[in-house]
Amino acid sequence: MNKPVIAYIGLGSNLSHPLTQLKLALKALAELPNSQLLKTSAIYQTPAIGGLIQPDYLNAAVKLQTTLSAVALLRQLQLIEQQQGRIRGEKWGPRTLDLDLLLYGEQSIFTQELMVPHPGIMTRNFVIFPLVDLEPGLTLPSGESLLALKAQCSSLSIKTIA
Ligand code: A4P
Ligand code: MG
């Protein structure tokens, strides 16, 4: 049995009733094998980044403890995405559900299949705000503090909806 690790997952949806999608995903995350859901952030509404014209996103994040390996956890997340009708179209295109493995313990992982910390973590307000809800004192493997990152990112375009 692997040692328990604290992992943070980012959730995003901008299709097919995003709030329902996030609630379903939270239920599925609470039922992940070999894992325990510890905390859920507020839900935020943010304009889509990435160039394509598409609806606003709802974003959130969760903190969980798991004995799954990082890759096993990623595959479980992809399974949940598929169960919620995710069709992989254009990169950064609209989606019913996107689950990103943001952090996995203190580990840095750089493979084709998995990059941890998730490359978007440092600059995206829709990742940083939910992470601050979960663990304001968090420091990334690079040594950067979450609160310092939050101070650098815009709060203008993000609002809490639940
Ligand atoms: N992959 C590598 N590392 C990871 C990781 N840490 N977590 C690989 C999850 N997946 C990871 O992902 C493509 C590949 O990334 C997977 O096969 C996996 O092996 P994907 O979910 O199929 O494609 P994607 O989500 O379109 O690409 P990507 O690069 O993950 O995009 P992002 O960074 O997730 O951005 N605007 C707002 N406001 N809110 C959003 O949530 N999300 C995106 C997508 C764009 N704009 C957004 C939002
Ligand atoms: Mg993604």
Side-chain angles (χ1 to χ4, degrees), residues 58-81:
L58 294 188
N59 285 107
V62 300
K63 173 180 181 178
L64 51 88
Q65 179 170 290
T66 185
T67 54
L68 294 172
S69 70
V71 168
L73 179 56
L74 174 71
R75 301 221 172 105
Q76 290 288 333
L77 300 181
Q78 290 171 341
L79 214 60
I80 298 172
E81 288 178 342

Side-chain angles (χ1 to χ4, degrees), residues 13-88:
S13 171
N14 72 342
L15 283 185
S16 307
H17 306 288
L19 188 55
T20 306
Q21 296 293 343
L22 290 197
K23 287 187 174 165
L24 278 172
L26 290 172
K27 191 167 173 290
L29 288 167
E31 290 167 2
L32 278 178
N34 305 104
S35 307
Q36 193 188 352
L37 181 62
L38 300 178
K39 212 170 168 189
T40 301
S41 75
I43 295 176
Y44 295 87
Q45 183 175 346
T46 53
I49 59 144
L52 300 171
I53 295 171
Q54 53 180 308
D56 280 1
Y57 274 80
L58 294 188
N59 285 107
V62 300
K63 173 180 181 178
L64 51 88
Q65 179 170 290
T66 185
T67 54
L68 294 172
S69 70
V71 168
L73 179 56
L74 174 71
R75 301 221 172 105
Q76 290 288 333
L77 300 181
Q78 290 171 341
L79 214 60
I80 298 172
E81 288 178 342
Q82 280 165 23
Q83 280 160 358
Q84 292 190 215
R86 167 86 184 260
I87 295 162
R88 289 196 147 68

